[in-house]
Amino acid sequence: MESKERIKLHKVLKIFGGITLLLMCGALYLGISTARYMKDTIRDQFNEQQLVLAKATAHRIESTIQSAIADLVLLNSLPAIQYCDSDAYEILLLSTLPVLNRDNIVEIRRVDREGNTLFVANDQGIGMKHFGLLHQEAGVYLSWASDLNHRGKTMGTGVRSKDQAKDKKTLVFDLITPTYEDSTDSAHPRPSHRFSGYLKVTLDVARLFHQIIPSIRSGKTGYAWVLDSSGTFLYHPESSFVGENAFEVRSNRNQAISFSKINQIQREEMLKGKEGKSVYTSGWHRDVVEPMEKLIAFAPVHIQGPYMDYAWSVAVVAPLQEIEGTIGMVYERQMGLQGIVILIILIGSLTVIIYEMRWSTLLEHEVNIKTDHIRHYAEQLERSEAKYRSLIESAEDLIFTLDSEGFIKTANEHMSRLFGIESGTLVGQSLYSFLPREQTDEQLRLIREVLGSGKAQRTEILINIQNEDFWFNIQYIPVKGEGNEDRAILGIGRDITDRKSLEKQLINTEKLASLGTLAAGVAHEINNPIGIMLGFCDLLLEKMEPGTMEYNDLKTIERHGLHCKSIVERLLSFARISEETEEGCNINENVEAILSVVKHTLDMNNIRLVTELDDDLPIVRGDSRGLQQVLLNLISNAIHAMNGKGTLTVSTRLAPKPGWVETIVSDTGCGIKKEFLQKIFDPFFTTKKVGEGTGLGLSVSYGIITKYGGTIQCESHVDDGKPGHGGTTFTILLPVHVESLTEVPPSARDANPPKP
């Protein structure tokens, strides 16, 4: 009986032992698989975060290069750059020095259609002379630039050493745009529109990356590096790697390590402009020299080249052991616990169950810790996303996305404020709701072209928003989605209304200068014959009896001759404004002096005068004679516009922006038609009848005010047959005289003109 019990007990022990062995194997497998799963999950999360860093860094580099391209295009539009006259040194200096001081540009070079260098601007100044033919690069650049299909485009070159014979670490690359003679100036009033070479700027790649890359840190010791399209290091924390071939320099440093994995990643993905993440084996990391695995995430930087597009690649790397260190500690604890569990199971099943429960509790605790870490990483990603969203919402540009049919998918707060529409209402509307059909059709054509080619494009467009015209420079950028149906366009629109106004003002000033020179010559040629005619007319009048027909005919000749003389004098005043006798004057005294002169004329024309002159205004820049001439011209035009009835209002006050004084002349006359407003300051333009005006009053006034550093603006409304609904207002802004600035608060000492 006892032996049977022993046999039975032996069988039970065998069964129990087998079950125990299966349980131990199951527990061991579960622990290993759990640790592996945790390791893979956290590693993927960390590498995904590295990919976000790489993409953000690549976007920042592309934005910096785009800023340099914008400066290049703006320089290329200036007449001084297009014609490179020998007397344009000061203009070139003022145009190029601000560009050299930003965007990491170290040199600006202008090359003509023959390959000869016309001028070079760098940190040592500007050289203007014939430098002769460039080396082989000029032929390649000229071949690309002279192609009409490339007109208005910009290309980038491959990275090169600034001085290949001395320092291979100083890396630069060039941006080139074709130059055409499209602008006008006094020496070239009519553009030839012919190809005249190209303009090239050279960017310091090392300086660019030292401003961006060193701040990139992944984990505790992770860092970033950059490759160009040929596999050369453009940036690396190991300074000896910069300018070297990435496929060779690692093997030269440690030949015992196989770098086939990282070479494969570079060759098959990074150099082809792809983004992604992976793992590779390295022989060092910062000061630690030993074989180790590293996590890598990379994103491309796209640059348009002459015959192919260049793709730089930004890589962010970190040692795998940093991420797996904590996981390894948990894994070691797990293995220790499993050993204890095995010993306890041998003692008794109850003890095994108790310790198994304890092990499960500890494992759950560790899982919770790792889950908290993952949640922490997710919160960091959410904060990063919120940060980028905040940057977009606080930007002063229009930032929006469109689908291929022109419907708005997203829009930032600035766009909503500008259009006066809530962001929720703005989303889902079509471009047809904001633009005329012709403009909308053109924008849709451009959007579909960007979606088809996958390349960003820029355009300038005039948009009327809430009865006010705005010029925008809009860049359309394709945004990749998961499928063709998810494709969208990112639009970034910058307000260039002020720049357009400045360009228009510059063109008007150049036109006035040219016509002034012409007017002076014509007036001089006409003045002498008129003087002779009037002299002989006076001699004949002395010989004729007053009241006779011949006497009356001579008086008619004399009257028309004097009229011609008056026109000549106005031409001369337009061509050459007289020298000022004073540098500053009291604006109120000049207004009162002119009003005392025209008071009788106003009463005779039934015009009511309203004056609103602020007391204690500072002295403004200018002389009394010139300002009185401007005021008299404006008041005379107002009297003519009111045609015998109306109200003339003259007011002076401090401008909203300190350091400026504002003078306003307003009438209730017939107004100026909208199509004429752009021409009123042009010489010889007038809406008066023949013989009543020369068209020089406002152009002379414009020249006087701008000579003092001020501005003159006009706002007018046509009455359209409704009395009291029309009228014209001229606003004159003059800077406060320098000596009078000591009498005003420091906040008023501002030399920048306020926007009209």
Side-chain angles (χ1 to χ4, degrees), residues 693-709:
T694 61
L696 292 174
L698 287 179
S699 61
V700 170
S701 301
Y702 180 87
I704 292 173
I705 295 301
T706 55
K707 184 173 182 179
Y708 299 153

Side-chain angles (χ1 to χ4, degrees), residues 586-596 613 631 650 652 663:
N586 189 308
I587 189 66
N588 284 345
E589 292 179 357
N590 285 280
V591 171
E592 292 171 351
I594 289 299
L595 292 179
S596 65
L613 308 181
L631 293 171
V650 182
T652 61
T663 304

Side-chain angles (χ1 to χ4, degrees), residues 100 105-109 120-123 160 200-203:
L100 287 171
I105 294 175
V106 297
E107 182 181 277
I108 301 174
R109 183 181 294 269
V120 177
N122 50 40
D123 55 359
R160 58 182 175 81
K200 180 182 76 172
V201 297
T202 301
L203 273 68

Side-chain angles (χ1 to χ4, degrees), residues 706-726:
T706 55
K707 184 173 182 179
Y708 299 153
T711 62
I712 179 170
Q713 299 290 332
C714 175
E715 182 179 355
S716 184
H717 301 280
V718 181
D719 55 14
D720 292 330
K722 300 177 181 179
H725 288 77

